[in-house]
Amino acid sequence: MTAIQVDGLRKSYGDFEAVREISFSVARGEIFALLGRNGAGKTTTVEILAGFQRPDGGTVRVLGLDPVKDRAKVRKSTGIMLQEAGFFPDLTVARTVDSWRELVPAARPRAEALELVGLTGKAGTKVRQLSGGEKRRLDLALATLGRPDLLFLDEPTTGMDPEARRATWDVVTDLAAHGTTVLLTTHYLEEAQRLASRMAIMDKGTIVASGGMAETLAAETGRVAFELPAGVEVGDLPVEVTAVEGATVICRVADPDVAAQTLLGWAGERGLRLRGLEVRTATLEDLFLDLASREKA
Ligand SMILES: Nc1ncnc2c1ncn2[C@@H]1O[C@H](COP(=O)(O)OP(=O)(O)OP(=O)(O)O)[C@@H](O)[C@H]1O
Ligand SMILES: [Mg+2]
């Protein structure tokens, strides 16, 4: 069953085309990451899916419904954490949750909502006195108040410390495990890699790469890096070198483990040490940097 279906979606602001015919779908219960640089069109896409903006072209279905025409119905089954949260700064955290609870049918109890995001101790604090990361957590509590079938998270962990970010990942993973579909945007590629099973990378309004996270990364090349031992020329090395940055030699290879073994065997025979040896399979960051350099070339 499809939770989100986007076909040929277009959106312009005046003459500027922010989203140019993108298509993707998200299955029910899936965590899907929408990635891309600043201005790529992620928030525009999320806002259209949530029914905050009208598309200029293409079709969009959310839980089988049109988010513009069936806005009220879509709203009931979705939760949304916008990139810019709008709170009343003088309300306490508890009052903020209470006032939202009045708008949400079958809302979680306040204590449960605050517990979920680790804000129990801040119930009496005014929203203006919360730290940036705490505000993001309050926003997550509000977005999940109605136990939505579908959750839109636009940069949910921006400004969070590493511990709060991990706690948020646990909350999102747990919601998805209980059947919530999640569409996430993030600039933290580790976050996308940990949470999402599928992703699309947007650039200048189009999708430039998409697919299953594991499959897409497996098709990318890994990386082996080390310091060039004294007295060795790059041309002497038994592997193909992609780049040399200062004293560091970088090899982008399909199978980094095999390349590392070759290098270690070669170094061992010559009594050389490979200082700073790093071996890793492809990450989303590699894919990102590759896409960026392909564009420049
Ligand atoms: N209301 C608007 N009026 C005019 N231009 C807009 C408007 N909203 C967004 N844009 C432009 O559309 C483009 C896409 O914006 P969008 O907010 O969707 O990007 P994004 O991928 O979410 O970026 P970020 O990672 O910085 O949040 C940007 O160039 C932005 O300046
Ligand atoms: Mg955005």
Side-chain angles (χ1 to χ4, degrees):
M1 191 57 187
T2 309
I4 298 173
Q5 183 71 45
V6 176
D7 291 299
L9 175 65
R10 287 188 290 112
K11 178 72 188 178
S12 297
Y13 299 111
D15 292 342
F16 178 75
E17 289 182 277
V19 175
R20 309 170 184 214
E21 295 217 12
I22 63 166
S23 303
F24 65 93
S25 67
V26 180
R28 291 224 181 190
E30 178 171 66
I31 303 181
F32 187 93
L34 204 51
L35 307 169
R37 296 187 281 197
N38 293 137
K42 304 178 299 292
T43 296
T44 302
T45 303
V46 169
E47 289 188 350
I48 290 170
L49 291 170
F52 289 105
Q53 297 209 53
R54 277 170 184 277
D56 292 331
T59 56
V60 167
R61 286 290 173 273
V62 171
L63 302 170
L65 302 164
D66 179 331
V68 175
K69 287 203 194 103
D70 307 312
R71 189 172 163 160
K73 270 192 201 160
V74 170
R75 217 23 91 65
K76 242 184 239 169
S77 324
T78 54
I80 180 158
M81 194 170 161
L82 294 170
Q83 194 166 356
E84 303 279 336
F87 296 127
F88 291 108
D90 288 321
L91 287 190
T92 61
V93 167
R95 283 288 308 281
T96 304
V97 173
D98 288 347
S99 52
W100 274 75
R101 289 189 73 246
E102 285 172 25
L103 306 172
V104 175
R108 283 179 206 278
R110 182 219 290 163
E112 184 186 320
L114 293 182
E115 175 73 35
L116 186 73
V117 297
L119 282 181
T120 305
K122 296 285 178 181
T125 304
K126 283 187 178 164
V127 169
R128 72 160 81 243
Q129 289 158 349
L130 293 179
S131 72
E134 287 166 352
K135 281 192 190 126
R136 276 330 255 159
R137 278 144 68 186
L138 175 58
D139 209 0
L140 180 64
L142 300 180
T144 54
L145 217 44
R147 300 185 178 88
D149 294 331
L150 172 60
L151 191 56
F152 295 109
L153 302 175
D154 197 357
E155 296 191 31
T157 66
T158 296
M160 285 187 191
D161 65 44
E163 193 186 339
R165 181 166 297 140
R166 264 157 219 276
T168 302
W169 293 349
D170 287 344
V171 171
V172 173
T173 307
D174 193 52
L175 289 166
H178 287 87
T180 306
T181 307
V182 180
L183 178 68
L184 162 89
T185 83
T186 181
H187 290 293
Y188 300 107
L189 301 178
E190 186 195 351
E191 175 165 301
Q193 216 174 318
R194 292 244 184 153
L195 291 180
S197 52
R198 288 174 61 244
M199 56 96 195
I201 300 177
M202 290 186 74
D203 197 40
K204 298 193 183 106
T206 65
I207 291 178
V208 290
S210 66
M213 188 69 75
E215 296 85 322
T216 307
L217 294 180
E220 286 295 308
T221 52
R223 185 177 183 277
V224 179
F226 53 92
E227 282 172 33
L228 190 65
V232 174
E233 301 283 329
V234 170
D236 300 337
L237 295 169
V239 292
E240 187 122 356
V241 173
T242 312
V244 182
E245 290 174 3
T248 305
V249 176
I250 297 164
C251 309
R252 300 295 309 276
V253 286
D255 196 335
D257 294 344
V258 169
Q261 272 167 12
T262 306
L263 275 161
L264 285 169
W266 173 87
E269 282 164 17
R270 286 158 185 79
L272 297 169
R273 274 196 66 186
L274 294 179
R275 287 179 195 278
L277 179 66
E278 262 180 36
V279 184
R280 57 179 173 80
T281 48
T283 63
L284 256 189
E285 192 163 328
D286 298 324
L287 178 58
F288 247 76
L289 296 174
D290 273 5
L291 288 169
S293 64
R294 257 178 249 166
E295 186 175 279
K296 270 183 234 149

